[in-house]
Amino acid sequence: MIVFKRILLLCVFLSSGFAFAESAAPAATALEVFKSPSCGCCGKWVKHLEDNGFTASVQHPSNLNETKAALGIPANLSSCHTGVSAEGYFFEGHVPASVVAKFLSQPPADAAGLAVPGMPAGSPGMEMGGQFTPYNVMLVKKDGSSEIFASMMSYSDQF
């Protein structure tokens, strides 16, 4: 009888642990992405996000530059697409999903978002075989100033 009670207790313990593990799984972080409907690299960046724990709702505004200006993205840090979190932070250009996740886990107090200006070869969505151009992910502050948030010196730095 004691063995049966121990087995029953073990079953209850294990089943509650599995239920806890399932309920503890984090929900995917949602981003609203603004892009041109004809941009291939933008679609690849969205896939990169989705492959790395994000969900994306894609919008095709008639004037992408107006959308970027309304979000406060400086023209000199602009790229081809923009992601926006539920909290209102923007992610301009080919920002790696790992950097977006790091930022969202502890956003700086004065942050407006992150930007990768231009379209660096080898950045997420801009894969070109083995080519890679080192680049910086810029932290854009609410006052419009910017500073380096992360440096991607090699392809593997992005993951």
Side-chain angles (χ1 to χ4, degrees), residues 30-54:
L31 294 180
E32 187 169 12
V33 178
F34 300 93
K35 69 178 208 63
S36 165
S38 61
C39 184
C41 69
C42 297
K44 290 179 182 178
W45 183 72
V46 168
K47 180 162 179 14
H48 165 76
L49 290 174
E50 293 173 340
D51 289 347
N52 288 281
F54 290 85

Side-chain angles (χ1 to χ4, degrees), residues 9-26:
L9 182 61
L10 180 61
C11 289
V12 169
F13 175 74
L14 288 175
S15 67
S16 67
F18 286 121
F20 174 75
E22 289 176 353
S23 66

Side-chain angles (χ1 to χ4, degrees), residues 9 27 33 51 61 65 76 85 109 113 117 137 152-153 157:
L9 182 61
V33 178
D51 289 347
N65 289 330
N76 65 319
S85 70
V137 178
M152 304 295 118
M153 301 310 291
D157 287 345

Side-chain angles (χ1 to χ4, degrees), residues 89-100:
Y89 296 113
F90 64 76
F91 303 95
E92 177 67 6
H94 296 271
V95 180
S98 63
V99 178
V100 174

